[in-house]
Amino acid sequence: MKAVVFHGVGDIRLDDVEEPKIQEPSDAIVRLTSSAICGTDLHMIRGTLAGMKLGTILGHEGVGVVEEIGPEVRNLRVGDRVVIPSTLGCGYCSYCRAGYYAQCDNINPNGPQAGTAFFGGPEPTGPFDGLQAEFARVPYAAINLVKLPDQVTDEQAIMISDIFPTAYFGAEIAEVSDGDAVAVFGCGPVGQFAIASAKILGAGRIFAVDKEESRLEMARAGCGGHQLQRGGPGRGHLQPHRRRWGGPRHRGRWGGR
Amino acid sequence: MAGQFEQEMSEVALETNPQGDNWHPGGAPSQSLIWATQCVAKGGSIGVIGVFPPQAMTFPVGALQQRNLTLKGGNCNHRKYIPRLVGLVATGALDPTGILTNREPMTDVIEAYKIFDQRQPGWIKVELLPTAGG
């Protein structure tokens, strides 16, 4: 199958690789119908997220069809359309059962202190071969695959594999609640969803900050009537926010560097 | 500030291999964190998302303390949110495809990566279509 493979910092290639196989009874194999490129992938290629094992398949966003399941996967059938969460969990440790899938005790082969396991990441995250490929092996498939209803298209679902949840998580941990003024720094894809998520959580005013006009325009079009304020590098731009509006109470920030 | 950022870059970008306009790490790692602590109202809350390397060491803790801020961060617990977001989209309340700007076949993926890396205007989110599914 074709897959995007990491060959070194600054070196990625579209290679022909072996298709993945079921290894554990809790695995599933998914045939990918949609994948995506994410800002986090760039960290690995640029070298700001070190420790990539050479030969790892990149990509942590995917939508597809269940092709094969192990005997312990009882909540899915071959042919089901699914979205694949970017981060992996076992579903039964105390962290997973508290909703902290990113701190699962079991799924990272490097141990409970090793941190988050995700697709297509550096060796400390697994590594787990990623989703910029034609097929993927999904461990603990019963928890790591989410079935899609017919009304949600593949195109909509690929946004829900990683970036929409990440943004929503950001709005939640920033403690956005009804009436709040929220500033969102960085209006790339995750930022756009952070704005939408702040709105869902009840924000009264949302300040979108970016230096790219097309991104601010996208934010404006998405949010409709919300107050959006342009910002840019340099502290001078930020002072008017505080004077005119009393300063945002909450804030989200994303995308690393 | 520039010297500070250079120091941070040396902390997080241990090995780099830029080629022309591609694969250059960002030049101001803690900038938005600094802005956040300055911009938020005193007593306010900050949420930090994104994947950071374990070597990243810089946060304006003085501002946190001086302004009584709340800081929460981490890697996203995707599985926690996905079922409810799928449900939200299924009702038609929200259509997330508005930010999808590019759809590329797998055969063009390396080129797509390079353009996306340069943050060219209009290239906000790139969907990849694997050849088997398409």
Side-chain angles (χ1 to χ4, degrees):
Chain A
M1 69 166 183
K2 292 269 185 238
V4 180
V5 178
F6 184 87
H7 283 268
V9 172
D11 186 3
I12 53 166
R13 303 177 213 169
L14 185 62
D15 288 345
D16 274 300
V17 301
E18 263 190 57
E19 287 175 16
K21 304 266 179 295
I22 298 268
Q23 291 174 23
E24 304 294 332
S26 48
D27 287 353
I29 302 293
V30 176
R31 174 172 57 83
L32 290 146
T33 53
S34 181
S35 185
I37 303 176
C38 183
T40 300
D41 298 323
L42 297 177
H43 291 326
M44 294 173 244
I45 305 167
R46 292 174 185 167
T48 39
L49 205 57
M52 281 294 285
K53 184 176 170 194
L54 301 187
T56 303
I57 297 173
L58 286 172
H60 52 266
E61 298 171 279
V63 170
V65 179
V66 176
E67 188 89 347
E68 201 184 337
I69 50 174
E72 284 177 15
V73 182
R74 293 182 292 264
N75 59 342
L76 295 164
R77 284 178 295 197
V78 170
D80 278 348
R81 215 162 53 93
V82 289
V83 57
I84 309 174
S86 298
T87 55
L88 291 151
C90 71
Y92 62 89
C93 70
S94 62
Y95 281 89
C96 284
R97 284 187 292 156
Y100 275 87
Y101 298 93
Q103 294 299 330
C104 172
D105 275 335
N106 296 319
I107 198 155
N108 193 328
N110 299 295
Q113 293 301 322
T116 309
F118 62 91
F119 285 104
E123 201 148 4
T125 70
F128 290 93
D129 273 331
L131 310 178
Q132 284 162 13
E134 295 180 54
F135 295 92
R137 179 183 77 97
V138 179
Y140 291 111
I143 197 72
N144 291 317
L145 291 176
V146 177
K147 196 165 160 207
L148 292 170
D150 294 337
Q151 311 93 292
V152 176
T153 65
D154 281 3
E155 234 176 47
Q156 291 175 321
I158 194 61
M159 302 289 112
I160 310 175
S161 170
D162 178 21
I163 55 178
F164 195 179
T166 298
Y168 191 91
F169 164 74
E172 191 178 271
I173 61 173
E175 303 180 337
V176 176
S177 53
D178 290 326
D180 281 337
V182 182
V184 168
F185 278 66
C187 295
V190 179
Q192 300 290 336
F193 279 116
I195 293 167
S197 299
K199 195 174 168 189
I200 291 167
L201 291 176
R205 289 174 306 189
I206 303 171
F207 300 94
V209 183
D210 202 289
K211 59 181 172 63
E212 270 288 322
E213 186 54 49
S214 63
R215 293 172 175 218
L216 293 174
E217 194 41 57
M218 187 183 264
R220 220 172 271 126
C223 257
H226 280 276
Q227 305 275 2
L228 294 181
Q229 193 88 22
R230 184 186 182 147
R235 192 178 168 153
H237 286 272
L238 303 178
Q239 293 290 34
H241 289 190
R242 215 183 298 163
R243 273 205 309 276
R244 286 179 65 198
W245 304 108
R249 173 167 170 73
H250 299 301
R251 194 193 163 281
R253 184 252 174 208
W254 41 85
R257 56 233 50 227
Chain B
M1 209 70 238
Q4 158 84 29
F5 290 146
E6 265 165 37
Q7 151 78 19
E8 290 170 26
M9 284 174 71
S10 71
E11 269 166 20
V12 300
L14 304 164
E15 182 198 344
T16 60
N17 184 9
Q19 290 142 49
D21 287 334
N22 277 120
W23 320 135
H24 292 267
S30 67
Q31 178 68 87
S32 53
L33 295 171
I34 294 169
W35 280 340
T37 56
Q38 291 171 350
C39 219
V40 71
K42 51 184 181 173
S45 304
I46 296 173
V48 180
I49 55 182
V51 183
F52 285 61
Q55 302 85 359
M57 291 291 287
T58 305
F59 180 84
V61 64
L64 182 82
Q65 298 302 100
Q66 294 249 308
R67 310 192 71 226
N68 280 58
L69 303 179
T70 294
L71 175 72
K72 287 190 191 170
N75 290 322
C76 179
N77 301 299
H78 295 84
R79 179 56 179 77
K80 174 180 170 182
Y81 302 103
I82 288 175
R84 85 182 73 161
L85 297 179
V86 166
L88 196 66
V89 171
T91 64
L94 183 146
D95 182 1
T97 57
I99 71 138
L100 236 192
T101 49
N102 306 84
R103 290 160 188 79
E104 303 294 325
M106 203 53 157
T107 40
D108 296 346
V109 63
I110 306 300
E111 195 51 38
Y113 251 106
K114 289 180 179 166
I115 302 174
F116 180 67
D117 172 59
Q118 288 166 35
R119 295 196 182 85
Q120 290 195 13
W123 279 69
I124 296 190
K125 186 65 183 174
V126 182
E127 183 192 12
L128 269 186
L129 303 167
T131 48

